[in-house]
C-alpha cells in the first residue's frame, strides 16, 4: 500500500529531525538550512509521465547546493531527470536528500567523462567522477556511456539507458556538448549522438547542447526529433514572445528535451538559484 501524502510528510519530517540530531544543530550534511516543507502543490510522489533535464553546475558545490537541488527536483518529482556537469558525490547527496527528506526513491546511472580532483574532490590519487547522470524512479537497463572522440576544451559524452516513462519502455539519452564557442566540435558530437538516436523508434534526448535552436550543428537532431517546447523550432527561434523560452540566466535556450515518437502534453522552465541553467520539465502524452 502506498502511504498517503500526509503520512509521507510526517515521515519526512521525522527523518529531518533525526538527521539534524545526527549531524549537529540546524544543518544537514552539506551545511544546507534545515529542511523546509515543499510547496503545497508539490506532487508528493513521482509523476510517472514527467521528465526533466538540468545542468546543475555553475555554481558548483557551495553550502546548501545539494539540498537545494534535491528540493527543486522534489518540488516537481519527475519520473526521469538527466543531470549534466554532475559530480558523483553531489548526485549521491542529492539522491540521499530526495529519499531521506522528501520520500522519493531514485535509481541512478552515471556517464562520467572526467576524473577531476579540483572539480569533484576525492583523494588526489582517486579523484571524483564528473559528467552526466540519469535519475529514474523505475529500473534502468542497457546502460551505454560514450565519450565523444573530440570533446573540445573539456571531455564530453552521452549516457543512454532504457527505462519506463508513463508505464512504457523508452530509450533515454543524456548529453552535454562542447562549450558555446566550439560549434565545429559540437557538429561532430551531434553526428555521433544522432546516429544512435536514429536507431530508436521512441526516444527522449535530454541535455545541455550549448547551442541556440537555429545553430546549424543542431540540424541532425531537429531532423530526428522535436523539442518539447511546441513554439520552438529552428525557423521560429526568437520570432515571437513565446518562441523558444530561454533556459539560461543569459536568456538563451541551450537546454532541450528532444522527443522522437512521443508527444508532449505540457512543459515548463523553472529558474532557480542553484545553477545558471534552469530546470526544464515536460509532461508527456501516453501515445
Amino acid at each position: 500500500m502506498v502511504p498517503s501524502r500526509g503520512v509521507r510528510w510526517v515521515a519526512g519530517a521525522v527523518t529531518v529531525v533525526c538527521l539534524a540530531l545526527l549531524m549537529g544543530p540546524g544543518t544537514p550534511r552539506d551545511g544546507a538550512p534545515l529542511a523546509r516543507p515543499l510547496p503545497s502543490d508539490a506532487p508528493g510522489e513521482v509523476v510517472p509521465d514527467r521528465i526533466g533535464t538540468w545542468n546543475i553546475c555553475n555554481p558548483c558545490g557551495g553550502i546548501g547546493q545539494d539540498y537545494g537541488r534535491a528540493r527543486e527536483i522534489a518540488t516537481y518529482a519527475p519520473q526521469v531527470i538527466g543531470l549534466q556537469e554532475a559530480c558523483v558525490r553531489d548526485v549521491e547527496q542529492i539522491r540521499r536528500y530526495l529519499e531521506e527528506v522528501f520520500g522519493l526513491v531514485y535509481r541512478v546511472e552515471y556517464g562520467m567523462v572526467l576524473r577531476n580532483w579540483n572539480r569533484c574532490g576525492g583523494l588526489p590519487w582517486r579523484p571524483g567522477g564528473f559528467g552526466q547522470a540519469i535519475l529514474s524512479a523505475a529500473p534502468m537497463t542497457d546502460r551505454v556511456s560514450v565519450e565523444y572522440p573530440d570533446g573540445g576544451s573539456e571531455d564530453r559524452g552521452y549516457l543512454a539507458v532504457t527505462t519506463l516513462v508513463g508505464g512504457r519502455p523508452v530509450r533515454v539519452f543524456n548529453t552535454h556538448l562542447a562549450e558555446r564557442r566550439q560549434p565545429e566540435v559540437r557538429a561532430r558530437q551531434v553526428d555521433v549522438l544522432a546516429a544512435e538516436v536514429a536507431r530508436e523508434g521512441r526516444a527522449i534526448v535530454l541535455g545541455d547542447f550549448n547551442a541556440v535552436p537555429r545553430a546549424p550543428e543542431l540540424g541532425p537532431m531537429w531532423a530526428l526529433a522535436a523539442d518539447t517546447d511546441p513554439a520552438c523550432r529552428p525557423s521560429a527561434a526568437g520570432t515571437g514572445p513565446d518562441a523558444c523560452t530561454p533556459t539560461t540566466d543569459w536568456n538563451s535556450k541551450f537546454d532541450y528535451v528532444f522527443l522522437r515518437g512521443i508527444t508532449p502534453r505540457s512543459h515548463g522552465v523553472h529558474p532557480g538559484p542553484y545553477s545558471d541553467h534552469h530546470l526544464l520539465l515536460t509532461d508527456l502524452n501516453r501515445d
Side-chain angles (χ1 to χ4, degrees):
M1 182 176 69
V2 177
S4 68
R5 181 174 177 181
V7 171
R8 290 163 63 88
W9 189 93
V10 171
V14 171
T15 299
V16 170
V17 173
C18 293
L19 287 172
L21 292 173
L22 288 171
M23 294 181 289
T27 58
R29 292 179 186 84
D30 62 347
L34 196 59
R36 293 172 290 145
L38 295 176
S40 59
D41 58 350
E45 58 187 23
V46 168
V47 181
D49 52 7
R50 179 169 295 168
I51 56 175
T53 185
W54 195 13
N55 182 323
I56 62 173
C57 199
N58 288 326
C60 306
I63 292 176
Q65 293 290 333
D66 291 338
Y67 170 74
R69 291 166 181 146
R71 188 176 184 276
E72 288 291 300
I73 294 170
T75 296
Y76 304 100
Q79 171 78 10
V80 172
I81 184 167
L83 304 177
Q84 303 89 43
E85 291 204 66
C87 291
V88 170
R89 66 174 185 174
D90 290 335
V91 175
E92 289 304 310
Q93 187 76 285
I94 289 168
R95 287 180 67 221
R96 191 173 295 121
Y97 285 134
L98 284 167
E99 181 171 0
E100 295 177 357
V101 178
F102 302 110
L104 302 175
V105 178
Y106 285 95
R107 295 144 173 102
V108 64
E109 291 289 354
Y110 294 103
M112 299 295 109
V113 294
L114 285 174
R115 297 284 172 181
N116 190 300
W117 182 82
N118 287 329
R119 191 188 288 267
C120 291
L123 300 172
W125 58 90
R126 193 177 180 182
F130 176 82
Q132 286 74 244
I134 294 176
L135 301 183
S136 174
M140 290 176 277
T141 61
D142 303 318
R143 171 190 171 274
V144 173
S145 180
V146 173
E147 186 172 332
Y148 294 124
D150 182 1
S153 56
E154 181 179 82
D155 294 348
R156 297 289 164 91
Y158 74 82
L159 170 66
V161 301
T162 298
T163 189
L164 295 179
V165 177
R168 294 186 61 187
V170 63
R171 194 68 171 161
V172 178
F173 296 81
N174 181 23
T175 193
H176 184 197
L177 300 188
E179 64 98 12
R180 70 184 81 176
R181 296 176 183 85
Q182 298 176 318
E184 298 85 0
V185 177
R186 287 197 301 276
R188 293 191 290 272
Q189 294 170 348
V190 169
D191 285 344
V192 172
L193 177 63
E196 294 305 310
V197 175
R199 300 174 186 268
E200 307 294 333
R202 299 178 74 249
I204 298 169
V205 186
L206 311 169
D208 173 5
F209 284 71
N210 267 322
V212 296
R214 65 165 65 92
E217 63 268 27
L218 295 191
M221 284 306 308
W222 288 113
L224 290 171
D227 183 60
T228 183
D229 183 345
C232 187
R233 298 292 181 269
S235 59
T239 60
D242 297 324
C244 300
T245 304
T247 64
T248 65
D249 285 353
W250 55 92
N251 292 320
S252 293
K253 178 177 172 63
F254 274 16
D255 305 273
Y256 298 81
V257 175
F258 282 111
L259 301 173
R260 178 171 169 84
I262 307 168
T263 58
R265 186 170 72 252
S266 62
H267 79 285
V269 177
H270 305 279
Y274 305 107
S275 174
D276 57 358
H277 289 253
H278 308 332
L279 177 60
L280 172 60
L281 296 160
T282 187
D283 290 351
L284 304 177
N285 287 319
R286 298 196 178 185
D287 300 307

